[in-house]
Amino acid sequence: MQGREALKKIPLLSPLTDAQLSKILSASLEKLYNAGSVIFTPEDRAEGFYILKEGKVKIFKTQRGKEQIIRIFSEPAFFGEAASFTGCKFPAWAEAIEKSKIIFIPRKAFISILKEDPDISLKFMSVMANRLLYLTNLIESLSLKSALSKVASYILRNQKNGKLIFKTNLAALELGLTKETVSRMLSKLKSLEAIEKEGNTIKVKNFQLLRELE
Amino acid sequence: MQGREALKKIPLLSPLTDAQLSKILSASLEKLYNAGSVIFTPEDRAEGFYILKEGKVKIFKTQRGKEQIIRIFSEPAFFGEAASFTGCKFPAWAEAIEKSKIIFIPRKAFISILKEDPDISLKFMSVMANRLLYLTNLIESLSLKSALSKVASYILRNQKNGKLIFKTNLAALELGLTKETVSRMLSKLKSLEAIEKEGNTIKVKNFQLLRELE
DNA sequence: CGCATCTTTGAAACTTATCAATCAGAGTGG
DNA sequence: CCACTCTGATTGATAAGTTTCAAAGATGCG
């Protein structure tokens, strides 16, 4: 079964037996989302959680036409689990930012697995612990850092081998800044020779400087 | 045993058997903290978590002399559980803001209980889910709200029967503002006749207006 | 009652947002 | 292969919101 393979790729679910996976799968629902389509809104009651099998999703809040990205998930990942756990409404929006294949797991199937398998519960808790950590760091960034250091740490966080593909608009939404400000900070980093830019690819030229600015 | 009673007051731990509680207690360590004393720092490895039996604690981040409160806990509550779970360093500072009695539970005892009792695990997860929700809302507030609406929603959140004791400095630290700004916003709310102030007690005069400003 | 602490208020400075215009690059159709 | 358009990035000028610094005013505690 193709679905089972996808589920096994999720670290959280890999220890499940085939029987357990089948049970989850039989209750689950796979759906395809185009870039820009909404997966859930804060109006929706959380009747289950979502496995991102393919694609990219952003979780975000809005208020007065402003937007703040809480987190971006790339495959493989899952999201909506906290709200699904409490069974209340989602606290935020979820939207595909790339064409995405997403499996929906209803609350019941999910909870029953958790009850059966203490190992999964522990893994699950460690995932939630990591989410908490992530949000704590986001709060620190939003509240204590200047625009320049936000951008510097964004680059450090997302870079791989000193390179990253940079979308000004997306970074702005994550960092709680405007695209103009992000662009300006980028120029500053260029003039400080901390980075180089070509098209939308950024190369880190001076890691230490970036870390000092962070 | 006095300690057991205190533990039973924590909703999370109430379903534990006496044997389980004894096991936890025997490994635990109770300590008294004065207002202002540090409980843990981001340097400390999380070897366990803390039960707040009596008093009040703030969890916060600092950077360049600035401070952002992540959360304030009043008895009965527990904290440090996410970091303790992963076993890494704490992501933030914890400091008593009132004289506090705190029980420390080592990681091992805690994990073994979780493994034994799936019911506790579930409760635990629901607590963590709530923490995630709380942080999500904090992020929204920090990033999307104006100073005035931060203060308005702070009042709404903390008021009881239209009243609350307000400490400007504490509110500022929670809201990511300076005390001066908070004070100014309070004056504005007074002049709008949304609230009244006497000493450090605030009375809500116009709930609807506050909600509109929120 | 007096001292220390917290709050309020004012003026100036700073950071970031906003608005507007220009520029660069990718893809499209002639 | 070259305009052409569309989208996203950059830059500049200005505005708004919040912080900072300083001083004066309340408040509470010993």
Side-chain angles (χ1 to χ4, degrees):
Chain A
M1 205 193 271
Q2 192 224 356
R4 194 178 292 166
E5 289 316 303
L7 258 51
K8 280 209 170 172
K9 263 196 274 175
I10 317 279
L12 176 84
L13 302 178
S14 52
L16 286 174
T17 64
D18 278 1
Q20 288 174 316
L21 281 176
S22 299
K23 190 171 156 191
I24 288 195
L25 270 178
S26 69
S28 73
L29 207 86
E30 185 171 329
K31 220 169 148 182
L32 192 69
Y33 294 85
N34 286 320
S37 25
V38 171
I39 299 155
F40 58 71
T41 80
E43 300 285 292
D44 300 337
R45 197 159 288 284
E47 307 285 10
F49 79 107
Y50 298 81
I51 296 180
L52 180 58
K53 193 173 148 187
E54 222 181 289
K56 209 177 241 187
V57 164
K58 69 173 175 183
I59 313 293
F60 63 103
K61 286 250 183 191
T62 51
Q63 202 157 107
R64 299 176 222 175
K66 280 184 165 191
E67 174 181 334
Q68 172 66 49
I69 293 181
I70 307 284
R71 183 136 194 194
I72 289 180
F73 289 112
S74 299
E75 80 211 22
F78 55 95
F79 56 93
E81 79 288 344
S84 154
F85 206 90
T86 64
C88 58
K89 290 185 177 180
F90 289 108
W93 294 75
E95 187 184 307
I97 52 179
E98 287 175 7
K99 207 170 202 183
S100 301
K101 272 190 196 157
I102 295 173
I103 304 171
F104 174 78
I105 310 284
R107 196 154 176 264
K108 265 192 181 170
F110 163 50
I111 303 262
S112 78
I113 291 289
L114 285 180
K115 279 192 180 159
E116 271 175 33
D117 194 327
D119 243 40
I120 294 281
S121 289
L122 284 181
K123 282 217 174 184
F124 213 80
M125 279 185 252
S126 103
V127 169
M128 286 172 95
N130 280 317
R131 302 263 149 101
L132 281 167
L133 206 72
Y134 185 95
L135 292 190
T136 303
N137 288 330
L138 179 53
I139 289 166
E140 175 180 24
S141 163
L142 288 173
S143 155
L144 301 176
K145 285 184 175 165
S146 69
L148 187 62
S149 71
K150 282 180 187 181
V151 174
S153 70
Y154 181 91
I155 291 172
L156 284 171
R157 209 168 42 244
N158 293 102
Q159 135 280 0
K160 253 183 197 163
N161 305 322
K163 277 186 197 168
L164 79 156
I165 292 165
F166 193 94
K167 303 201 174 174
T168 311
N169 204 29
L170 196 59
L173 258 21
E174 286 195 66
L175 297 173
L177 301 168
T178 59
K179 50 187 167 12
E180 292 93 338
T181 299
V182 172
S183 176
R184 275 184 250 269
M185 297 305 125
L186 232 44
S187 304
K188 200 172 229 168
L189 290 176
K190 268 188 285 182
S191 73
L192 291 169
E193 303 194 332
I195 60 167
E196 255 177 4
K197 204 184 171 209
E198 234 186 278
N200 53 13
T201 303
I202 286 183
K203 248 192 194 165
V204 180
K205 296 220 66 178
N206 188 337
F207 271 98
Q208 199 186 340
L209 181 53
L210 274 186
R211 285 208 197 86
E212 279 163 20
L213 294 171
E214 190 181 12
Chain B
M1 206 193 270
Q2 193 222 357
R4 195 180 290 166
E5 289 315 304
L7 258 52
K8 281 209 169 172
K9 264 196 272 175
I10 318 278
L12 175 85
L13 302 178
S14 53
L16 287 174
T17 63
D18 277 2
Q20 288 174 316
L21 281 176
S22 298
K23 189 170 156 191
I24 288 194
L25 270 178
S26 69
S28 73
L29 208 86
E30 184 170 331
K31 220 169 147 184
L32 193 68
Y33 294 85
N34 286 319
S37 25
V38 171
I39 299 155
F40 57 72
T41 80
E43 299 286 293
D44 299 336
R45 196 158 289 285
E47 307 285 9
F49 78 107
Y50 298 81
I51 297 179
L52 179 59
K53 194 173 148 187
E54 222 181 288
K56 208 176 242 185
V57 164
K58 70 173 175 183
I59 313 293
F60 64 103
K61 286 250 185 191
T62 51
Q63 202 157 107
R64 298 176 222 176
K66 281 184 164 191
E67 174 181 334
Q68 172 65 50
I69 293 182
I70 308 284
R71 182 135 195 195
I72 289 180
F73 289 112
S74 300
E75 78 209 26
F78 54 95
F79 57 92
E81 78 288 345
S84 155
F85 205 90
T86 64
C88 59
K89 289 186 177 181
F90 289 107
W93 294 75
E95 187 184 308
I97 52 178
E98 287 176 7
K99 206 170 203 181
S100 300
K101 273 190 196 157
I102 295 173
I103 304 171
F104 175 77
I105 309 283
R107 195 155 176 262
K108 265 191 180 169
F110 163 50
I111 303 262
S112 77
I113 291 290
L114 284 179
K115 278 191 180 160
E116 271 175 34
D117 194 327
D119 243 39
I120 294 281
S121 288
L122 283 181
K123 282 219 173 180
F124 214 81
M125 280 186 252
S126 104
V127 169
M128 286 171 95
N130 280 316
R131 301 262 150 101
L132 281 168
L133 206 71
Y134 185 93
L135 292 190
T136 304
N137 288 329
L138 179 53
I139 289 166
E140 175 181 25
S141 162
L142 287 173
S143 156
L144 302 175
K145 286 184 176 166
S146 68
L148 187 63
S149 70
K150 283 181 186 180
V151 174
S153 70
Y154 181 90
I155 292 171
L156 285 171
R157 209 168 42 244
N158 292 103
Q159 134 282 1
K160 253 185 197 162
N161 306 321
K163 277 185 198 168
L164 78 156
I165 292 165
F166 192 95
K167 303 200 174 175
T168 311
N169 202 31
L170 197 59
L173 258 21
E174 286 195 67
L175 297 173
L177 300 169
T178 58
K179 50 188 172 3
E180 292 92 337
T181 300
V182 171
S183 175
R184 276 183 250 269
M185 296 305 125
L186 233 43
S187 303
K188 200 172 227 166
L189 290 176
K190 269 189 283 182
S191 74
L192 292 169
E193 302 195 332
I195 59 166
E196 255 176 4
K197 203 183 171 210
E198 235 186 275
N200 54 14
T201 303
I202 286 183
K203 247 191 196 165
V204 179
K205 295 221 69 178
N206 188 337
F207 270 98
Q208 199 186 341
L209 181 53
L210 274 186
R211 283 206 200 87
E212 280 163 19
L213 294 171
E214 190 181 9

